[in-house]
Amino acid sequence: MNASKRLQIFERLRALDPAPTTELEFGTPFELLVAVILSAQATDRSVNLATRELFAHARTPHAVAALGVEGLTPFIARIGLFRSKARHIVEACRMLIEHHGAQVPRSREALEALPGVGRKTANVVLNTAFGEPTIAVDTHIFRVANRTGIAPGKTPRAVEGRLLSCVPQAFRRDAHHWLILHGRYVCKARKPECWRCPIADLCEYRAKSAPPDSA
């Protein structure tokens, strides 16, 4: 895909949603960090249901650490892998208290040192909480980048590198949100809804789908 097409794609996505953001509910960088850790292999809806209750009782590293694993578990039991996530979150809280003054660090290295935090989670926190022009590649973004031809790659890390090099600077801060929302609601995994896609004429996916009633 050439640079002109990419520019048009992001111009259209921006026109449709000038201020995109995550669908996870949060009020502070710490709340976002907890929500993103919980979101692995879980829907944003299930995470939001859990964190609404959790953050009403405990919304700081000190408060969550005081709950401990046993106290935290009932709040997140509806979420997949909740036992390991509870351990990771409580230990991450302890590390935040001991090493970062109970604040979420703004450094990738420090974030990735926390239990339950990998590169994707660190990118989400850096981008959404701190406004850094990072791009977290989840399954939606990996699919959209490859299917459309925007930034093909065989691994999430390869796709991330391509996106960071080819997305115009003016769009880089919000590219993560535009692409994930596009993949979640339009460019779906099983059957992309190409007939209502705002970038269908620019997309390089050959097997474009037709409206259901056209069969």
Side-chain angles (χ1 to χ4, degrees):
M1 179 176 288
N2 61 43
S4 176
K5 274 189 177 181
R6 290 194 189 95
L7 177 61
Q8 292 180 71
I9 284 172
F10 285 103
E11 285 177 339
R12 290 186 192 179
L13 294 176
R14 181 174 64 182
L16 290 170
D17 189 1
T21 189
T22 180
E23 294 186 320
L24 293 171
E25 297 173 1
F26 72 99
T28 65
F30 173 70
E31 290 180 5
L32 176 65
L33 174 64
V34 171
V36 179
I37 292 174
L38 291 174
S39 71
Q41 299 184 46
T43 64
D44 286 359
R45 180 178 181 277
S46 67
V47 173
N48 289 338
L49 289 171
T51 55
R52 284 171 200 163
E53 296 180 11
L54 171 61
F55 296 153
H57 289 79
R59 60 193 316 164
T60 66
H62 285 97
V64 175
L67 286 176
V69 173
E70 294 304 314
L72 174 58
T73 296
F75 290 103
I76 65 173
R78 74 185 76 202
I79 295 173
L81 306 175
F82 68 90
R83 298 185 194 282
S84 62
K85 290 176 181 178
R87 292 193 298 271
H88 288 156
I89 289 170
V90 170
E91 182 57 30
C93 288
R94 291 175 180 153
M95 290 181 65
L96 290 175
I97 294 166
E98 293 174 7
H99 303 294
H100 302 288
Q103 300 296 312
V104 175
R106 196 168 176 167
S107 136
R108 177 188 301 283
E109 182 180 11
L111 284 168
E112 290 188 22
L114 298 173
V117 178
R119 186 176 183 86
K120 183 180 74 173
T121 297
N123 276 335
V124 172
V125 173
L126 289 170
N127 176 268
T128 306
F130 300 122
E132 299 289 341
T134 59
I135 300 177
V137 178
D138 70 347
T139 56
H140 294 298
I141 294 179
F142 185 78
R143 179 177 66 255
V144 170
N146 277 285
R147 182 184 276 166
T148 61
I150 291 173
K154 293 183 177 180
T155 65
R157 184 65 180 272
V159 169
E160 179 187 337
R162 289 289 296 276
L163 286 169
L164 289 173
S165 67
C166 73
V167 173
Q169 182 67 38
F171 303 99
R172 206 165 294 166
R173 176 175 173 177
D174 293 321
H176 164 79
H177 297 300
W178 285 320
L179 294 176
I180 194 172
L181 293 171
H182 187 66
R184 184 173 291 167
Y185 296 112
V186 180
C187 196
K188 300 176 181 179
R190 292 188 178 181
K191 188 176 182 181
E193 298 181 2
C194 303
W195 64 89
R196 66 181 193 90
C197 175
I199 60 169
D201 59 315
L202 301 169
C203 167
E204 297 183 352
Y205 181 55
R206 293 183 179 181
K208 290 186 172 64
S209 59
D213 57 4
S214 67

